[in-house]
Amino acid sequence: MKGYRRILVPVDFSAGASEAVRRAADVATHYGAEVCLVHVYEPINYALPGNYPFYMPGQLESVLAECEKRLADAKRDAEGAGIEERTIASGQCRRAT
């Protein structure tokens, strides 16, 4: 049976995501696999009259900074579960072209 080489773990900072990180750690340890944690935040764009921005100045940056902080917490959880997490990806959704 072929083992896993890479395990992608999407995290949304919920208790279920924390459990997914722990389970991925178990599988990664067994197979010697790499783990990649990913969190994607897609800002909601509303059509407001007069082309007013939906976000107040600095609000989106604050939300993204909080996501980065919580993703770093998830990385510490992964490391605490006994794996060296290879890559952390974070950012806004982008449409494929």
Side-chain angles (χ1 to χ4, degrees), residues 22-96:
R22 285 190 292 277
R23 290 186 183 241
D26 289 343
V27 173
T29 300
H30 180 76
Y31 289 104
E34 297 175 328
V35 173
C36 178
L37 304 178
V38 63
H39 175 76
V40 178
Y41 173 77
E42 183 174 15
I44 300 171
N45 294 318
Y46 292 101
L48 298 176
N51 293 323
Y52 291 107
F54 179 72
Y55 294 99
M56 298 299 292
Q59 185 179 19
L60 182 58
E61 292 80 7
S62 176
V63 168
L64 294 176
E66 179 65 19
C67 288
E68 290 291 336
K69 177 187 165 298
R70 295 185 73 184
L71 192 56
D73 293 343
K75 178 181 178 182
R76 279 192 295 282
D77 290 346
E79 291 168 344
I83 59 172
E84 289 187 27
E85 183 276 334
R86 179 182 63 87
T87 304
I88 287 193
S90 179
Q92 298 178 16
C93 290
R94 304 264 190 251
R95 285 205 169 105

